[in-house]
Amino acid sequence: MSTKAVLITGANGEIGHGLVTRLTEKDPSLRIVAIDVHPLSQTLRERCHEVIVGDIMDSSLLDRLAAFYDFGTIYHLAAILSTKAEREPVLGHRVNVDGTLGLLELAARQARATGENVKFLFPSSIAAYGLPDVPTKMKAGKVKETEWLDARTMYGINKKYCEDLGRYYNWYYRQIDPQPTAAHVDFRALRFPGLISAVTLPTGGTSDYGPEMMHYAAQGKEYRCFVPESATLPFMVMPDAINALLTLEATPAKNLTQVVYNIGAFSVSAKDFYDVILKAFPGATVEFRPDALRQKIVDSWPADVDDSLARREWGWRPEYDFRRSFEEYLIPAVKQRYAK
Ligand code: NAD
Ligand code: SER
């Protein structure tokens, strides 16, 4: 008999840290199988049933997992983020698209074998959007899920395509088979804004300037910001991102009319970050020295998202606005982290 478990890919990443911790706080008996190309920290390892240091592209590894486990839910977090994928587009495509396809197939196989739906939680991104220029972006304001979908980065294109793949596995998989399977992949995607964690530092992303500015200031390090003061994106703190994943996972399928949902918390400029960080760390040194090429990517992402669908269908509501994020979560936690 297979062992019931939850699969988390990319478990050593920023979201993985938050998710493994929160899931096991909620249910210490939950069996988590974690995969990452990098070893997990000791504290995360202790919370997992099995930890695999391996590549999601390794099909024999996925076969072995399918043989031993019965995954009711898969959180597929492993990815190459936007800046890194722009530097290595073929690698980005392989991991972000082929890697996701392999996991969707694993989920479909499991659904066939067990006769039960497998929930597949996929973190998509505001990178799925592509706006042509800053005036259009600022005029567009809160974009809906179906608007401005001309992604301009390899990462954004990968995310958008994986949303479509997920929709296919959810609604149309093997649609001309005369004998439809009893169960399917229950794919659910969130288009996350830029995420900010107090306990981990981002790597390889383009929204990294926000969290980097804060972590550098807390360590007394000078920060060179690669976007101008006016650059504006939607952001969210990690506790809200984890809430969103867990709430969407727990929502009955009958309540959901879509497979992709925007979620928002607050929209801020790089100057807004600077002001709040300078207040908390008066000695902070931040030099705005825009990198025109990376700035173009930020300029093509929306200033804000319309998350009314998520609010209506599964009760999404962020707990942290901009002020509360910094005053009650980020600043106290990073001060404590770097005081050690
Ligand atoms: P992260 O870079 O911190 O974590 C990704 C993890 O995936 C890393 O630990 C990495 O080692 C692992 N990984 C990469 N390639 C792998 C492979 N081939 N096999 C196994 N593991 C591999 O990123 P994150 O912030 O934790 O993001 C998690 C997910 O959320 C990603 O899909 C990302 O695109 C998405 N997302 C993140 C943000 C954000 O601002 N952090 C925003 C929107 C969406
Ligand atoms: N925060 C991510 C990045 O910058 C967007 O998904 O790559």
Side-chain angles (χ1 to χ4, degrees), residues 9-17 35-40 52-58 76-82 84 91 94-96 99 122-127 155 159 190-196 200-208 211 235-236 238 245:
T9 72
N12 192 51
E14 290 208 276
I15 298 183
H17 270 82
I35 309 182
D36 202 291
V37 277
H38 294 118
L40 267 64
I52 298 150
V53 179
D55 194 325
I56 56 161
M57 307 292 294
D58 178 350
H76 173 40
L77 310 179
I80 303 294
L81 273 72
S82 56
K84 186 164 181 206
L91 173 71
R94 283 198 184 123
V95 174
N96 297 346
F122 180 71
S124 188
S125 163
I126 49 164
Y155 172 79
K159 287 292 186 191
L190 289 165
R191 278 196 199 137
F192 279 123
L195 301 180
I196 320 171
T200 52
L201 265 155
T203 46
T206 309
S207 61
D208 295 4
F235 281 92
M236 175 182 292
M238 196 56 82
L245 275 170

Side-chain angles (χ1 to χ4, degrees), residues 82-83 88 104 121 239 309 333:
S82 56
T83 294
E88 295 182 70
L104 283 166
L121 275 291
L309 204 61

Side-chain angles (χ1 to χ4, degrees), residues 15-27:
I15 298 183
H17 270 82
L19 184 62
V20 169
T21 308
R22 184 82 71 82
L23 280 172
T24 48
E25 276 168 5
K26 242 179 86 185
D27 177 4

Side-chain angles (χ1 to χ4, degrees), residues 83-220:
T83 294
K84 186 164 181 206
E86 220 45 47
R87 293 193 171 123
E88 295 182 70
V90 174
L91 173 71
H93 192 281
R94 283 198 184 123
V95 174
N96 297 346
V97 175
D98 298 345
T100 301
L101 182 65
L103 280 144
L104 283 166
E105 266 303 308
L106 165 71
R109 254 191 293 163
Q110 293 236 301
R112 239 185 346 260
T114 62
E116 285 178 24
N117 292 351
V118 175
K119 286 187 198 162
F120 194 102
L121 275 291
F122 180 71
S124 188
S125 163
I126 49 164
Y129 295 107
L131 290 105
D133 49 54
V134 174
T136 311
K137 160 177 168 151
M138 298 319 282
K139 190 161 170 244
K142 290 180 180 236
V143 300
K144 288 193 198 314
E145 282 86 348
T146 50
E147 297 173 328
W148 301 106
L149 288 170
D150 297 317
R152 291 176 167 213
T153 57
M154 175 54 88
Y155 172 79
I157 291 165
N158 297 162
K159 287 292 186 191
K160 177 69 188 61
Y161 177 65
C162 288
E163 293 175 0
D164 289 342
L165 270 181
R167 187 177 294 105
Y168 169 75
Y169 272 79
N170 198 345
W171 289 343
Y172 309 114
Y173 185 61
R174 290 177 178 270
Q175 56 194 300
I176 59 167
D177 269 6
Q179 306 240 288
T181 48
H184 67 282
V185 179
D186 180 352
F187 179 88
R188 304 170 179 204
L190 289 165
R191 278 196 199 137
F192 279 123
L195 301 180
I196 320 171
S197 170
V199 293
T200 52
L201 265 155
T203 46
T206 309
S207 61
D208 295 4
Y209 61 88
E212 276 175 359
M213 200 186 288
M214 176 189 66
H215 283 273
Y216 276 58
Q219 295 171 83

Side-chain angles (χ1 to χ4, degrees), residues 267-286:
S267 163
V268 282
S269 68
K271 170 79 162 55
D272 294 327
F273 270 110
Y274 176 66
D275 289 342
V276 74
I277 286 165
L278 198 68
K279 213 169 122 198
F281 304 101
T285 314
V286 177

